[in-house]
Amino acid sequence: MSKENTDTKKPQPSPLNGVLRVAIQGYKGAFHDIAVRKYFGDHDIEVMEIDTFDKVVDMVKHREVHFGAMAIENTIYGMLMPNFNLLNRSNIFIDGEVYLRIKQNLIGWPGTRVEDLKEVYSHPIAIEQCRAYFKAYPHIKLIESVDTALSVREVKEKRIKTKGAIGSSLAADLYGLDILAPAIETNKKNFTRFLILEKKSKAAPEPGSNKASIILTVLDQVGSLHKVLSELAIRKANLTKIQSIPILGKPFEYAFWIDLVGEDQKHLNEAIDSVRSLSHEVKILGLYPKGKHYDH
């Protein structure tokens, strides 16, 4: 694996010539693709382009691929609740995570100037992230599409030099186009957290685990959540996330997604065990190494 990623898990080789099949929602060159490449480093991977997150989870669940990648939260938009719900009901587990800065680039044909463009295509969220940049170019029409990387690929395939796309630098490289203007997004601190998912019989810890994701349902008593959080504080488990989750079929009742960082796997297990008697249920989604942040 690459030097910058030596503290993440080392994937087990696939029986197919050592190549790991990894499902992503989107197309090659999308940010999910970049996250996967960062996580697995130099290991041979085959990226599977999948239309929906539902299908990604389904392929992992039925072991049609070795791993899946799924965005779970963003520093602008917060928790991606539909993806969490998919994960929660799927009985698959978190193997690791990657934090990736979402850097949007204006991409077009080599030799093209921004002023030459008449139309720019991308996913609606990417367009919204870059709308302020295009105020200086009112003649450019912004057109929504289903995926950033697919937009770049279609600019290449259509061979119309007045059309551009918003996407990643990887997409520009893959499809042989130029970055006409780099990092045109308004918010330069926009990160997305991606989870690496695997089908396992249980939430077995990954090598070097120092982070846990759990879903916890507290007892119906005054101060129940306070007692849980106090116990975790006593155990010196660093609470990095807590998110209330509606319980389906039980109106106005909530579980909590909690992320904990500890010294090591033993420390995490002790912290989780300490709150079991204070809870209706504790479900472990994953024990894994804390993810790296990449400014791609």
Side-chain angles (χ1 to χ4, degrees):
M1 298 183 67
S2 61
K3 291 181 179 178
E4 65 181 353
N5 207 23
T6 54
D7 64 341
T8 61
K9 72 161 293 206
K10 295 182 179 180
Q12 295 300 310
S14 160
L16 300 176
N17 301 317
V19 178
L20 296 175
R21 292 190 302 276
V22 185
I24 67 169
Q25 188 278 320
Y27 295 80
K28 292 182 177 68
F31 291 104
H32 276 83
D33 186 7
I34 297 172
V36 164
R37 292 169 187 251
K38 293 295 187 184
Y39 181 78
F40 289 104
D42 294 331
H43 199 94
D44 290 335
I45 61 173
E46 179 186 1
V47 172
M48 312 295 290
E49 299 174 325
I50 309 300
D51 290 337
T52 66
F53 287 114
D54 297 68
K55 182 62 175 175
V56 169
V57 169
D58 193 57
M59 292 182 75
V60 175
K61 184 176 179 179
H62 292 96
R63 293 191 168 96
E64 296 174 40
V65 293
H66 299 96
F67 299 94
M70 186 171 73
I72 197 65
E73 63 179 316
N74 175 269
T75 52
I76 294 177
Y77 301 101
M79 189 81 167
L80 306 181
M81 290 304 298
N83 286 0
F84 165 79
N85 290 329
L86 275 174
L87 174 61
N88 187 27
R89 65 174 181 258
S90 66
N91 200 32
I92 60 178
F93 296 98
I94 303 169
D95 265 21
E97 63 180 5
V98 174
Y99 295 85
L100 185 69
R101 181 186 160 192
I102 305 303
K103 189 183 293 186
Q104 304 284 11
N105 306 285
L106 180 55
I107 297 168
W109 274 83
T112 302
R113 302 177 307 158
V114 177
E115 291 79 6
D116 299 330
L117 298 176
K118 295 181 180 179
E119 296 176 346
V120 169
Y121 296 78
S122 200
H123 189 279
I125 290 179
I127 289 175
E128 193 60 35
Q129 290 171 347
C130 303
R131 197 172 292 279
Y133 171 83
F134 287 99
K135 288 183 178 179
Y137 304 96
H139 69 284
I140 296 177
K141 185 178 181 180
L142 301 176
I143 301 174
E144 296 181 358
S145 67
V146 299
D147 185 77
T148 56
L150 180 61
S151 299
V152 176
R153 189 173 83 182
E154 290 182 343
V155 166
K156 174 73 172 186
E157 292 172 348
K158 291 179 180 178
R159 305 181 68 84
I160 301 175
K161 295 187 178 181
T162 57
K163 296 182 184 293
I166 300 168
S168 71
S169 57
L170 175 61
D173 291 342
L174 288 177
Y175 302 115
L177 298 178
D178 277 0
I179 293 177
L180 308 183
I184 64 171
E185 73 282 353
T186 301
N187 190 317
K188 306 301 182 183
K189 298 293 184 181
N190 180 18
F191 280 80
T192 294
R193 178 190 179 195
F194 297 87
L195 301 179
I196 305 299
L197 307 174
E198 184 183 9
K199 173 65 174 180
K200 297 184 286 190
S201 59
K202 61 179 181 178
E206 296 303 317
S209 293
N210 62 351
K211 186 170 184 178
S213 292
I214 64 175
I215 299 174
L216 182 145
T217 307
V218 298
L219 301 176
D220 187 15
Q221 299 173 357
V222 174
S224 292
L225 180 59
H226 173 74
K227 291 176 182 177
V228 167
L229 299 181
S230 296
E231 186 64 35
L232 293 175
I234 291 170
R235 300 282 176 172
K236 296 184 178 179
N238 185 18
L239 187 72
T240 60
K241 182 177 186 63
I242 181 168
Q243 173 79 44
S244 62
I245 308 294
I247 300 175
L248 297 180
K250 297 183 178 182
F252 305 107
E253 292 187 32
Y254 296 87
F256 296 91
W257 170 311
I258 295 177
D259 285 342
L260 302 170
V261 175
E263 296 175 0
D264 51 31
Q265 177 190 327
K266 181 175 180 292
H267 183 206
L268 287 174
N269 287 333
E270 290 173 351
I272 294 170
D273 288 343
S274 73
V275 299
R276 290 189 186 276
S277 63
L278 303 173
S279 313
H280 272 308
E281 181 183 12
V282 177
K283 178 181 178 181
I284 300 176
L285 297 176
L287 294 163
Y288 52 94
K290 183 180 177 181
K292 287 280 191 177
H293 286 67
Y294 295 98
D295 187 0
H296 183 77

